[in-house]
Amino acid sequence: NVPEDQADKLLLASWGLPKAVLEKYHSLGVVQMFEWQAECLMLGQVLEGKNLVYSAPTSAGKTLVAELLILKRVLETRKKALLILPFVSVAKEKKSYLQ
């Protein structure tokens, strides 16, 4: 569980994302994460580029964790990222709002 003193980590706004990115997530109804998502982001050196393997049921929110990791990394390092998705429909959806 997320420690009480780090409960603000559940809010997307506390992860240093640009205002435009936060506004897009908010327009989609995503204002905060589940505890397990925040825990993934706070594990070890994940935010510094170390590997993360996690598993959750379909529609549980796995993609959000990956998106946040990618967005933070791209914005901080100014390097490109490759996001591989399992279905064309998901790829089209992500393309439309990540642009």
Side-chain angles (χ1 to χ4, degrees):
N1 291 346
V2 175
E4 227 177 273
D5 62 334
Q6 294 186 337
D8 64 321
K9 294 292 187 186
L10 296 176
L11 299 173
L12 290 183
S14 66
W15 289 94
L17 298 170
K19 184 178 178 182
V21 172
L22 290 173
E23 287 174 356
K24 185 61 178 182
Y25 277 117
H26 290 176
S27 76
L28 298 170
V30 182
V31 177
Q32 69 178 40
M33 295 180 270
F34 296 116
E35 283 188 21
W36 74 265
Q37 292 170 315
E39 288 173 17
C40 283
L41 296 175
M42 292 187 295
L43 282 173
Q45 296 176 319
V46 170
L47 291 173
E48 286 79 41
K50 296 295 181 185
N51 293 328
L52 172 67
V53 176
Y54 57 106
S55 175
T58 301
S59 297
K62 297 179 296 289
T63 303
L64 180 62
V65 174
E67 287 175 8
L68 293 177
L69 287 169
I70 289 170
L71 285 169
K72 284 195 61 63
R73 191 81 172 150
V74 166
L75 292 169
E76 291 170 3
T77 64
R78 304 251 186 245
K79 292 184 179 181
K80 294 180 181 181
L82 177 63
L83 176 61
I84 299 171
L85 298 165
F87 303 106
V88 173
S89 60
V90 176
K92 287 181 179 180
E93 175 189 325
K94 296 304 170 192
K95 178 187 173 197
S96 73
Y97 82 78
L98 286 174
Q99 286 179 334

